Amino acid sequence: MKITDIKLGMLRVPLKTPFKTALRTVEAVEDIVVCIHTDTGHVGYGEAPATAVITGDTHGSIVEAIRKFIAPRLIGQEVANLNRITQLIQEALEKNTSAKAAVEIAVYDLFGQLYGAPLYKMLGGGDPVITTDITISVDYIDKMVADSISAVERGFESLKIKVGKDIGVDVERVKAIYAAVEGRALLRLDANQGWTAKQAVHAITLLEDAGVRLELVEQPVKAQDLDGMKYVTERVHTPIMADESVFGPTEVIELIRMRAADIINIKLMKTGGLSNAVRIADIAALYGMECMIGCMLESSISVAAAVHLAVAKANAITRVDLDGPSLCAFNPVDGGVIFNESEISVTDAPGLGIREIRGLEPLPY
């Protein structure tokens, strides 16, 4: 099975409700889709969102990186040579992790198709059913409480609460939500780099003293402030998770060396795809550090790849935050992973199992 062509498209899927964080507000998934064609007629699919405030990738930069730097290296390559192909992708240019991730996901999809096995089995196997949390966007307190109660009634047992805009209001938001769902759902806080180290310690301590039990607090400080992250981790009882502070394996090693956080959030758009995500999970497992698998605002194309990884690396990936498809107004993908509210299940279809993507707008080459 040889790669013969790489085509790109734009996928637009409205969200059920606007997605609000301390950094941005988004009303629709608008992602670049990669379709890798082969001489056997098989097609592999990948996807990348524009997340300029996190990875630095825009739609334009993703398209340019793939067309001018990555795609020319892959034409004619044998899909069976997976390690060589992933190396070609990673060395094609610096950074541009989302563009690399989209292409890698499509290649891994083809790798599974080549051997007639679902991707999670190619990565080591596992139980093909996992459970995700759901994100509660930053909003008025009453709205966030209502959204949280609605999520619990739909079967979600873990809620990811977005905070980081106003520390005083943040504390009150969390107290109100905790009072409304206590005993029915675990709370995960995502500050999206919205606090200083001292503010984070102050806010988390206030919540702890008020009897609020949080499963974790994600990225309370700026991405580059590992010393600040360490400061927070050492001074609170609540586990601290690094997200934007950790993109690749070398940053994971440094974070572990510093003991700067308790948990690592793996996202394929940060790692540049599955090859580095696998390395991170293995490094974390070696040092006994737990991981979460997360996503950006992505559809069920690239989130499917994250699901397969989570199943295969369940020894390290103990928490799942793959609610992107649940936030979409509809699922544009036929086949693939099955998203049913909090439960995500994987079929035994080869690769990612995607048969068709509806509404894909081809991009001119």
Side-chain angles (χ1 to χ4, degrees), residues 257-332:
R257 187 193 67 78
M258 289 181 62
R259 300 180 185 273
D262 303 295
I263 308 166
I264 295 166
N265 194 355
I266 301 172
K267 290 179 180 172
L268 300 185
M269 297 304 136
K270 293 189 305 174
T271 63
L274 284 155
S275 61
N276 277 329
V278 167
R279 291 186 182 100
I280 290 173
D282 288 342
I283 292 167
L286 185 64
Y287 284 93
M289 177 171 274
E290 296 183 17
C291 297
M292 175 186 278
I293 186 75
C295 62
M296 307 298 187
L297 271 178
E298 305 162 38
S299 80
S300 56
I301 302 169
S302 53
V303 175
V307 171
H308 282 267
L309 175 68
V311 168
K313 295 295 179 180
N315 62 321
I317 299 172
T318 58
R319 296 169 176 84
V320 177
D321 176 32
L322 297 176
D323 62 344
S326 296
L327 302 176
C328 292
F330 61 88
N331 184 1

Side-chain angles (χ1 to χ4, degrees), residues 196-364:
T196 66
K198 288 187 176 182
Q199 285 176 331
V201 171
H202 176 64
I204 296 168
T205 302
L206 281 176
L207 290 168
E208 290 175 345
D209 290 347
V212 175
R213 297 290 172 260
L214 302 172
E215 187 181 5
L216 58 86
V217 174
E218 180 176 353
Q219 198 62 47
V221 300
K222 295 295 184 185
Q224 66 274 16
D225 188 10
L226 285 186
D227 288 329
M229 184 91 74
K230 178 180 174 67
Y231 178 91
V232 178
T233 301
E234 291 177 340
R235 286 165 175 79
V236 299
H237 297 293
T238 302
I240 302 299
M241 182 169 72
D243 182 12
E244 289 88 356
S245 288
V246 177
F247 272 57
T250 55
E251 291 160 314
V252 169
I253 292 169
E254 178 63 10
L255 183 134
I256 292 172
R257 187 193 67 78
M258 289 181 62
R259 300 180 185 273
D262 303 295
I263 308 166
I264 295 166
N265 194 355
I266 301 172
K267 290 179 180 172
L268 300 185
M269 297 304 136
K270 293 189 305 174
T271 63
L274 284 155
S275 61
N276 277 329
V278 167
R279 291 186 182 100
I280 290 173
D282 288 342
I283 292 167
L286 185 64
Y287 284 93
M289 177 171 274
E290 296 183 17
C291 297
M292 175 186 278
I293 186 75
C295 62
M296 307 298 187
L297 271 178
E298 305 162 38
S299 80
S300 56
I301 302 169
S302 53
V303 175
V307 171
H308 282 267
L309 175 68
V311 168
K313 295 295 179 180
N315 62 321
I317 299 172
T318 58
R319 296 169 176 84
V320 177
D321 176 32
L322 297 176
D323 62 344
S326 296
L327 302 176
C328 292
F330 61 88
N331 184 1
V333 176
D334 286 335
V337 169
I338 300 168
F339 296 87
N340 182 21
E341 297 289 13
S342 63
E343 184 178 280
I344 305 174
S345 52
V346 183
T347 70
D348 272 346
L352 296 179
I354 296 171
R355 295 189 297 269
E356 182 186 1
I357 302 171
R358 297 184 301 276
L360 189 61
E361 306 166 23
L363 294 177

Side-chain angles (χ1 to χ4, degrees), residues 123-198:
L123 295 174
D127 182 356
V129 180
I130 60 176
T131 302
T132 183
D133 63 14
I134 191 167
T135 300
I136 306 298
S137 290
V138 175
D139 216 313
Y140 297 110
I141 292 177
D142 289 348
K143 176 68 163 56
M144 293 181 74
V145 169
D147 289 346
S148 298
I149 293 171
S150 173
V152 171
E153 290 174 347
R154 287 158 51 200
F156 287 93
E157 297 179 352
S158 297
L159 308 179
K160 183 176 178 180
I161 312 299
K162 292 289 188 179
V163 293
K165 282 198 167 184
D166 182 317
I167 199 161
V169 179
D170 284 341
V171 170
E172 295 308 312
R173 285 182 174 115
V174 177
K175 285 182 180 179
I177 293 170
Y178 186 77
V181 303
E182 183 180 2
R184 295 190 291 164
L186 297 173
L187 298 190
R188 300 165 176 173
L189 249 58
D190 185 0
N192 278 116
Q193 309 179 59
W195 298 332
T196 66
K198 288 187 176 182

